[in-house]
Amino acid sequence: MPLPNESVGAACAHVLNCADPYKKVMAARQTARAWAKGRLDHRFDVAMPDRPARPGKPELLPPNQMPRRGKMGSDRARAAMLHALAHIEFVAIDLAFDLIGRFGGDFPRAFTEDWMRVGAEEAMHFALLDRRLRQLGSFYGALPAHDGLWQAATETAHDAMARLAVVPMVLEARALDITPATVERFTQAGDELSARMLRRIMADEIRHVAAGTAWFNHAANRVGLDPANSYQILVKRHFRGALKPPFNDSARRQAGLTLEYYAALAQ
């Protein structure tokens, strides 16, 4: 638990340095709670690790070596999908707290406020998905996972605008595109419990993309840059992939990520 008057930077580094998933979830929740109660000083005096601590499982593979999950009709296939989503949420905990600890000193206090909330929600999402995995007879770490998400963090570790462009405004925005179809697949498989869980998570993710977009615009505007044009430049420079339709334009628009940002990048 963070100590009174501990710095935000130290508390964020502690979250990243927790390898055990359940300790990381607890550290994320305690850090967000300590911030909300005014127990953390708005100081960034501790360097973030280049790479967060990770548990022994899941085995991390390159994305192109991940096994196929199969059709959604079986418990095994649905567990494999939920495991992949749980891993995304697990890494998202670190992404949120790394964003605060690495770049929070460059922004107003409201930046830390927003991303503490995001980090706590990512921890809650992971806990929900892990619980559902256990209900299906599995658990987080039972299957391999890919390491592409943290590669995006490494690529943007030097630049707050690049981090905001690539992580919330590309990677999390992509979740807005694909989640409705995933929900439908769970519904068709008769797994309404998982479908309802994913709808709840998506509602939170819209707010996460909105926070990323708002703070990206803040960073661009304060140095006199056009936000949409800057976004396109940074995505081309730092994102190792393509922005492929279909896009969930409605959910993206709710998050402030309008077509002017991403239409020119679509492939």
Side-chain angles (χ1 to χ4, degrees), residues 30-254:
Q30 290 175 340
T31 297
R33 191 178 303 119
W35 168 259
K37 292 182 176 180
R39 297 179 65 239
L40 294 179
D41 286 350
H42 193 243
R43 291 182 287 111
F44 301 88
D45 52 353
V46 176
M48 296 302 101
D50 292 336
R51 184 174 180 81
R54 288 284 179 258
K57 295 288 185 178
E59 178 187 7
L60 298 179
L61 300 175
N64 61 2
Q65 293 183 20
M66 286 291 294
R68 293 184 179 276
R69 288 191 285 267
K71 296 182 179 180
M72 290 285 283
S74 69
D75 286 353
R76 181 178 178 181
R78 286 185 286 120
M81 173 63 76
L82 291 169
H83 189 280
L85 296 173
H87 180 67
I88 290 170
E89 299 295 346
F90 181 69
V91 179
I93 299 169
D94 288 324
L95 289 170
F97 286 96
D98 183 78
L99 181 64
I100 298 168
R102 192 174 296 273
F103 301 116
D106 300 332
F107 289 89
R109 289 178 65 93
F111 179 89
T112 296
E113 187 80 23
D114 282 350
W115 293 106
M116 283 285 183
R117 186 179 304 110
V118 170
E121 289 179 348
E122 304 292 21
M124 181 265 289
H125 296 167
F126 172 79
L128 287 173
L129 289 161
D130 181 65
R131 183 174 66 188
R132 184 63 182 135
L133 279 171
R134 291 179 182 278
Q135 290 169 345
L136 292 172
S138 187
F139 59 93
Y140 178 63
L143 298 170
H146 75 76
D147 200 28
L149 286 174
W150 196 257
Q151 291 175 5
T154 301
E155 174 69 26
T156 59
H158 63 290
D159 185 334
M161 286 184 64
R163 174 69 64 85
L164 291 165
V166 171
V167 175
M169 298 174 72
V170 171
L171 298 178
E172 289 201 78
R174 184 58 180 159
L176 304 184
D177 301 334
I178 65 177
T179 298
T182 305
V183 168
E184 181 60 25
R185 292 170 69 190
F186 276 102
T187 299
Q188 290 179 354
D191 188 349
E192 185 56 34
L193 185 58
S194 295
R196 187 163 60 247
M197 186 182 303
L198 295 182
R199 291 190 197 99
R200 175 182 177 177
I201 290 172
M202 181 172 168
D204 291 340
E205 298 295 351
I206 290 174
R207 294 197 302 273
H208 300 178
V209 176
T213 304
W215 285 111
F216 181 87
N217 291 346
H218 170 91
N221 289 330
R222 70 182 176 182
V223 292
L225 297 174
D226 176 74
N229 184 61
S230 299
Y231 171 77
Q232 292 163 16
I233 291 170
L234 289 168
V235 171
K236 288 178 182 177
R237 184 179 299 161
H238 297 290
F239 180 58
R240 300 179 184 180
L243 271 64
K244 297 181 180 180
F247 300 111
N248 188 342
D249 295 323
S250 175
R252 285 168 172 255
R253 187 166 56 251
Q254 288 181 61

